[in-house]
Amino acid sequence: MAAELHVELVAADRSVWSGEATLVVARTTSGDIGVMPGHQPLLGVLESGPVTIRTSDGGTVIAAVHGGFLSFADDKLSLLAEIAELADEIDVQRAERALERAKEATDAAAERRAEVRLRAVAVR
């Protein structure tokens, strides 16, 4: 079993994060999943939610991910998201305002995106 896995987190418009990790936790349509080096190959559909990446140097990267796919084989994990933001990039006040607007407009999808962004910041 290898000691680390290579992770690529890519959004539709950019590469969000790339590096070596010891553990990645993401939400899929089948539930939350943790992927470590040596995991069985898998393909899954990502749900909106925070993704936690434990880096090989002992750090943690948190991202808000909204839809997409994940694929793992040969200690390479690809997270291909429709939208993804690192928690460090999220403007909390802007996300809170977006959540209030979504609630007022009864826009469930926008409300879910804002909630995920705020959860990612809280996990950080």
Side-chain angles (χ1 to χ4, degrees):
M1 184 162 115
E4 58 188 28
L5 55 107
H6 184 75
V7 179
E8 295 282 338
L9 173 56
V10 180
D13 61 342
R14 68 187 177 117
S15 176
V16 178
W17 190 86
S18 177
E20 305 305 312
T22 58
L23 171 68
V24 176
V25 178
R27 175 155 297 164
T28 70
T29 54
S30 299
D32 288 351
I33 186 166
V35 179
M36 297 175 68
H39 195 286
Q40 292 295 314
L42 69 96
L43 180 62
V45 177
L46 290 170
E47 290 271 323
S48 292
V51 169
T52 303
I53 302 168
R54 302 278 186 220
T55 63
S56 295
D57 64 4
T60 301
V61 174
I62 307 291
V65 172
H66 308 281
F69 299 91
L70 86 118
S71 171
F72 181 76
D74 300 322
D75 286 327
K76 294 180 182 133
L77 178 66
S78 298
L79 298 134
L80 309 170
E82 293 172 25
I83 302 169
E85 299 173 88
L86 295 175
D88 295 339
E89 300 171 342
I90 295 171
D91 180 334
V92 174
Q93 291 176 341
R94 183 173 171 230
E96 288 171 343
R97 288 190 307 268
L99 178 59
E100 289 306 314
R101 284 192 309 272
K103 286 180 178 180
E104 290 170 4
T106 61
D107 183 344
E111 188 174 337
R112 176 81 175 137
R113 284 191 303 273
E115 287 172 344
V116 167
R117 293 173 79 218
L118 291 169
R119 278 200 348 250
V121 171
V123 172
R124 176 187 64 180

